[in-house]
Coordinates of all heavy atoms in Angstrom, one line a residue:
V1 N 0.8 -1.2 0.0 CA 0.0 0.0 0.0 C 0.9 1.3 0.0 O 1.7 1.3 0.7 CB -1.1 0.0 1.2 CG1 -0.2 0.0 2.5 CG2 -2.0 1.1 1.2
G2 N 0.5 2.2 -0.8 CA 1.1 3.5 -0.7 C 0.7 4.3 0.5 O -0.5 4.4 0.8
V3 N 1.6 4.7 1.3 CA 1.4 5.5 2.5 C 1.3 7.0 2.4 O 1.2 7.7 3.4 CB 2.4 5.0 3.6 CG1 2.3 3.6 3.9 CG2 3.7 5.6 3.3
G4 N 1.5 7.5 1.2 CA 1.4 8.8 1.0 C 2.9 9.4 0.7 O 3.8 8.6 0.4
P5 N 3.1 10.8 0.8 CA 2.1 11.7 1.3 C 0.9 11.8 0.3 O 1.0 11.7 -0.8 CB 2.9 13.0 1.3 CG 4.0 12.8 0.2 CD 4.2 11.2 0.3
G6 N -0.2 12.3 1.0 CA -1.4 12.5 0.2 C -2.4 13.2 1.2 O -2.3 13.3 2.4
P7 N -3.5 13.8 0.6 CA -4.5 14.2 1.3 C -5.2 13.4 2.2 O -5.3 12.2 2.1 CB -5.6 14.8 0.2 CG -4.7 14.9 -1.1 CD -3.8 13.9 -0.9
Y8 N -5.7 13.8 3.4 CA -6.2 13.0 4.6 C -7.3 12.0 4.1 O -7.0 10.8 4.3 CB -6.9 13.9 5.5 CG -7.4 13.2 6.8 CD1 -6.5 13.1 7.9 CD2 -8.7 12.8 6.9 CE1 -6.9 12.5 9.0 CE2 -9.1 12.2 8.0 CZ -8.2 12.0 9.1 OH -8.6 11.4 10.2
T9 N -8.4 12.3 3.5 CA -9.4 11.3 3.3 C -9.1 10.3 2.2 O -9.2 9.1 2.5 CB -10.7 12.1 2.7 OG1 -11.1 13.0 3.7 CG2 -11.9 11.1 2.6
G10 N -8.6 10.6 1.0 CA -8.3 9.6 0.0 C -7.2 8.7 0.5 O -7.3 7.5 0.3
L11 N -6.2 9.2 1.2 CA -5.1 8.3 1.6 C -5.6 7.3 2.6 O -5.2 6.1 2.6 CB -4.1 9.2 2.2 CG -2.9 8.6 3.0 CD1 -2.1 7.7 2.0 CD2 -1.9 9.6 3.5
R12 N -6.5 7.7 3.5 CA -6.9 6.6 4.5 C -7.8 5.5 3.8 O -7.7 4.4 4.3 CB -7.8 7.4 5.6 CG -7.0 8.2 6.5 CD -7.7 8.6 7.7 NE -8.1 7.5 8.5 CZ -7.3 7.1 9.5 NH1 -6.1 7.6 9.6 NH2 -7.7 6.0 10.2
V13 N -8.5 5.8 2.7 CA -9.2 4.8 2.1 C -8.4 3.6 1.7 O -8.6 2.4 2.0 CB -9.9 5.3 0.8 CG1 -10.4 4.1 0.0 CG2 -10.9 6.3 1.1
G14 N -7.2 3.7 1.0 CA -6.2 2.8 0.8 C -5.7 2.0 2.0 O -5.5 0.8 2.0
L15 N -5.3 2.8 3.0 CA -4.7 2.3 4.1 C -5.6 1.4 4.9 O -5.2 0.3 5.4 CB -4.0 3.3 5.0 CG -2.9 3.9 4.5 CD1 -2.5 5.3 5.1 CD2 -1.6 3.0 4.6
V16 N -6.9 1.8 5.1 CA -7.9 1.1 5.9 C -8.1 -0.1 5.1 O -8.3 -1.3 5.8 CB -9.1 2.0 6.0 CG1 -10.1 1.2 6.6 CG2 -8.8 3.0 7.2
T17 N -8.3 -0.1 3.8 CA -8.6 -1.3 2.9 C -7.4 -2.3 3.1 O -7.7 -3.5 3.3 CB -8.8 -0.9 1.4 OG1 -9.9 0.0 1.5 CG2 -9.3 -2.2 0.7
A18 N -6.2 -1.8 3.1 CA -5.1 -2.8 3.1 C -5.0 -3.4 4.5 O -4.8 -4.6 4.6 CB -3.7 -2.1 3.0
A19 N -5.3 -2.7 5.6 CA -5.4 -3.2 6.9 C -6.5 -4.2 7.1 O -6.2 -5.2 7.7 CB -5.6 -2.1 7.9
A20 N -7.6 -4.0 6.5 CA -8.7 -5.0 6.5 C -8.4 -6.2 5.8 O -8.6 -7.4 6.4 CB -10.0 -4.3 5.8
F21 N -7.9 -6.1 4.6 CA -7.3 -7.4 4.0 C -6.4 -8.2 4.8 O -6.4 -9.5 4.9 CB -6.8 -7.1 2.6 CG -7.8 -6.7 1.5 CD1 -7.5 -5.8 0.5 CD2 -9.1 -7.3 1.6 CE1 -8.5 -5.4 -0.4 CE2 -10.1 -6.9 0.6 CZ -9.8 -6.0 -0.4
S22 N -5.3 -7.5 5.3 CA -4.4 -8.1 6.0 C -4.8 -8.9 7.2 O -4.6 -10.0 7.6 CB -3.3 -7.0 6.6 OG -2.5 -7.6 7.5
S23 N -5.8 -8.2 8.0 CA -6.5 -8.9 9.1 C -7.3 -10.1 8.7 O -7.3 -11.1 9.4 CB -7.3 -7.8 9.9 OG -7.9 -8.4 11.0
A24 N -8.1 -9.9 7.7 CA -9.1 -11.0 7.3 C -8.2 -12.2 6.7 O -8.7 -13.3 6.9 CB -10.0 -10.5 6.3
L25 N -7.1 -12.0 6.1 CA -6.4 -12.9 5.3 C -5.2 -13.6 6.1 O -4.6 -14.5 5.7 CB -6.0 -12.5 3.9 CG -7.2 -12.0 3.0 CD1 -6.5 -11.4 1.8 CD2 -7.9 -13.4 2.7
G26 N -4.8 -12.8 7.1 CA -3.7 -13.2 7.9 C -2.3 -13.0 7.0 O -1.4 -13.8 7.2
V27 N -2.2 -12.0 6.2 CA -1.0 -11.7 5.5 C -0.5 -10.3 5.8 O -1.2 -9.5 6.3 CB -1.3 -11.8 3.9 CG1 -1.9 -13.0 3.5 CG2 -2.4 -10.6 3.5
P28 N 0.8 -10.1 5.6 CA 1.4 -8.8 6.0 C 1.1 -7.7 5.0 O 0.7 -7.9 3.9 CB 3.0 -9.2 5.9 CG 3.1 -10.3 4.9 CD 1.8 -11.1 5.0
V29 N 1.2 -6.5 5.5 CA 1.0 -5.3 4.7 C 2.5 -4.6 4.6 O 3.0 -4.5 5.6 CB 0.0 -4.3 5.4 CG1 -0.1 -3.0 4.4 CG2 -1.3 -5.0 5.5
H30 N 2.8 -4.3 3.4 CA 4.0 -3.6 3.2 C 3.8 -2.1 2.7 O 3.2 -2.0 1.7 CB 4.9 -4.5 2.1 CG 5.0 -5.8 2.3 ND1 5.8 -6.4 3.3 CD2 4.4 -6.9 1.7 CE1 5.7 -7.8 3.4 NE2 4.9 -8.0 2.3
G31 N 4.3 -1.2 3.4 CA 4.0 0.2 3.1 C 5.2 0.6 2.2 O 6.4 0.4 2.5
L32 N 4.9 1.6 1.3 CA 5.8 2.2 0.5 C 5.4 3.6 0.3 O 4.3 4.0 0.1 CB 6.0 1.5 -1.0 CG 6.8 0.2 -0.9 CD1 6.5 -0.4 -2.3 CD2 8.2 0.4 -0.6
C33 N 6.4 4.5 0.2 CA 6.2 5.9 -0.1 C 5.5 6.1 -1.4 O 6.1 5.4 -2.5 CB 7.4 6.7 -0.1 SG 7.2 8.5 -0.4
T34 N 4.4 6.7 -1.6 CA 3.8 6.9 -3.0 C 4.6 7.6 -3.9 O 4.7 7.1 -5.1 CB 2.5 7.7 -2.7 OG1 1.5 7.1 -1.9 CG2 1.9 8.1 -4.0
L35 N 5.6 8.5 -3.5 CA 6.5 9.1 -4.3 C 7.5 8.0 -5.0 O 7.8 8.2 -6.1 CB 7.1 10.2 -3.8 CG 6.4 11.4 -3.1 CD1 7.2 12.4 -2.4 CD2 5.4 12.0 -4.1
D36 N 7.8 7.1 -4.2 CA 8.7 6.0 -4.7 C 8.2 5.3 -5.8 O 8.9 4.8 -6.7 CB 9.3 5.2 -3.4 CG 10.0 5.8 -2.5 OD1 10.4 7.0 -2.6 OD2 10.3 5.2 -1.4
G37 N 6.8 5.1 -5.8 CA 6.2 4.3 -6.8 C 6.3 5.1 -8.1 O 6.6 4.5 -9.3
L38 N 6.1 6.4 -8.1 CA 6.1 7.2 -9.3 C 7.6 7.3 -9.8 O 7.9 7.2 -11.0 CB 5.7 8.6 -9.0 CG 4.2 8.8 -9.0 CD1 3.8 10.0 -8.1 CD2 3.7 8.9 -10.3
A39 N 8.5 7.4 -8.8 CA 9.9 7.3 -9.3 C 10.4 6.1 -9.9 O 11.0 6.1 -11.1 CB 10.8 7.6 -8.0

């Protein structure tokens, strides 16, 4: 999941969804800076 930087509301949508999948499936979440993805 991209952790930002980003505006408050939009950014949380992805992070909460990633956390929900991780909890339900028992798999790890790997955070990356959003700018690093573009780079």
Side-chain angles (χ1 to χ4, degrees):
V1 64
V3 302
Y8 183 86
T9 304
L11 176 55
R12 287 193 69 85
V13 170
L15 286 163
V16 169
T17 301
F21 284 148
S22 172
S23 178
L25 301 171
V27 298
V29 181
H30 308 290
L32 285 173
C33 177
T34 293
L35 302 180
D36 291 355
L38 281 156

